[in-house]
Amino acid sequence: MKKKKNEIRLFCEFVIPPMLIWALIVVVPLIYGIYLTFTDWNGLSPDYNLVGFANYVATFTDKTFLTSLLKTFVYVFFVVVLSNVLGLALALLLTYGIKLQGLFRTCFFAANMIGGVVMGYIWNYIFSFALTKVGEVTGIGLFETSWLTNPTMAMVALIVVAVWQLSGYLMVIYVAGLTNVSKEMLEAAQIDGTTPWQLLRYIKIPMIRSSVTICVFMAISRAFMAFDVNLTLTAGGPFKSTELLALKIYQTAFSNFDYGKGQAEALVLFVIVAIISLVQVSVSKKGEVQA
């Protein structure tokens, strides 16, 4: 009986306080945010009215929202694919036993140490001034004008920056997975005459499926939530051609002072990311079991 009381006491001391903190930080704001989607609050006034589903109707009939959603899907697709491919390629290179591979790992990961706002301003300078100088000197037409002034190239610039930053982070996860692959298995496969491509396709990748699951999940969540770089690099321009969904939500809530609709848009984004992430993790986990 005394032992059971001690277990209950320990549970109350170590489990309940973190759960209460988590509820106050996550659950309560989420519930309150859902409630605000049914109001016409402007973010400033202490008074607001309940408007039912009007914000959701306005969200799904807003062409600018749907356009931003489509652009976000395009952005996410290229960022997820390219960052994972590049991250895996770097991990394979830096687990091959080359000299100074520890230094190279640090250098590639260093991009994640730069804050998104600072990185956006740095790359803004690179695209607006540094690369244009290269274009003037070399005569390369691709660099003669700033990418940020062209709607298509501005989106390419956003993707390039995101892949540059994210691939180094994913590389670390892939390196951890590759270093856990059995060396005896690899040596046995090489003795049997396996080519490097076969070694990668049939042994290494199946053995790091858990790393792939984590990396794809993180890439999806980070790409959908892209905001700081989008704000400082392009500010959604030119002509809103690079206004991703997170920036669109910010503009609706804090620039247009339509907090109820902005919160509705944010909830739609949350549901989209949650569904896609759950499907991706579920499919990847099935692949792990089969492997």
Side-chain angles (χ1 to χ4, degrees):
M1 188 69 179
K2 186 177 180 180
K3 183 179 179 181
K4 188 174 183 180
K5 287 183 178 179
N6 288 334
E7 289 178 354
I8 294 174
R9 180 175 61 82
L10 289 173
F11 177 83
C12 293
E13 290 177 353
F14 291 99
V15 178
I16 292 180
M19 289 181 65
L20 289 174
I21 295 172
W22 176 78
L24 289 172
I25 295 175
V26 178
V27 178
V28 173
L30 177 62
I31 294 173
Y32 183 62
I34 294 173
Y35 167 73
L36 288 178
T37 64
F38 300 101
T39 70
D40 62 354
W41 189 40
N42 61 11
L44 297 174
S45 174
D47 301 319
Y48 51 83
N49 303 307
L50 291 174
V51 294
F53 290 94
N55 288 323
Y56 292 99
V57 174
T59 294
F60 287 107
T61 55
D62 184 356
K63 291 183 179 180
T64 60
F65 174 82
L66 297 177
T67 302
S68 293
L69 180 61
L70 177 61
K71 291 173 183 175
T72 302
F73 274 116
V74 173
Y75 171 84
V76 169
F77 173 79
F78 283 105
V79 169
V80 171
V81 172
L82 295 177
S83 63
N84 275 276
V85 170
L86 183 56
L88 179 58
L90 291 172
L92 289 169
L93 179 64
L94 299 179
T95 53
Y96 194 71
I98 63 174
K99 294 181 179 180
L100 301 175
Q101 63 182 23
L103 176 62
F104 287 122
R105 290 178 188 176
T106 304
C107 292
F108 286 125
F109 181 75
N112 291 274
M113 307 303 291
I114 306 174
V117 174
V118 175
M119 186 174 66
Y121 284 122
I122 291 173
W123 277 94
N124 189 301
Y125 174 81
I126 291 173
F127 286 120
S128 299
F129 299 101
L131 287 182
T132 54
K133 290 294 183 182
V134 173
E136 290 177 9
V137 173
T138 61
I140 300 175
L142 185 63
F143 300 134
E144 287 183 345
T145 58
S146 173
W147 288 14
L148 305 182
T149 60
N150 181 286
T152 301
M153 296 307 297
M155 179 60 76
V156 173
L158 264 182
I159 294 171
V160 167
V161 174
V163 172
W164 174 81
Q165 183 185 39
L166 187 56
S167 59
Y169 184 79
L170 302 183
M171 174 203 69
V172 175
I173 301 174
Y174 282 125
V175 166
L178 289 169
T179 52
N180 288 325
V181 176
S182 172
K183 293 182 179 179
E184 290 77 11
M185 184 186 298
L186 297 176
E187 291 174 356
Q190 289 173 337
I191 292 172
D192 289 338
T194 305
T195 64
W197 169 247
Q198 292 173 331
L199 200 66
L200 174 64
R201 180 180 178 183
Y202 296 109
I203 297 179
K204 289 186 177 181
I205 291 181
M207 293 297 292
I208 61 168
R209 284 184 182 271
S210 59
S211 297
V212 174
T213 300
I214 294 170
C215 288
V216 173
F217 171 79
M218 295 190 69
I220 289 174
S221 58
R222 288 185 61 170
F224 267 111
M225 301 301 176
F227 170 74
D228 44 7
V229 176
N230 190 191
L231 178 64
T232 55
L233 181 61
T234 65
F239 312 112
K240 294 186 178 294
S241 61
T242 60
E243 187 179 67
L244 301 180
L245 206 49
L247 181 60
K248 172 64 172 66
I249 294 169
Y250 171 84
Q251 298 287 4
T252 300
F254 299 105
S255 297
N256 301 336
F257 298 103
D258 194 349
Y259 204 90
K261 183 185 175 186
Q263 190 66 27
E265 293 175 351
L267 186 61
V268 171
L269 175 60
F270 170 78
V271 171
I272 291 172
V273 175
I275 292 173
I276 292 176
S277 298
L278 287 173
V279 171
Q280 178 263 318
V281 171
S282 177
V283 172
S284 299
K285 286 293 181 183
K286 288 181 181 179
E288 289 178 29
V289 173
Q290 294 173 355

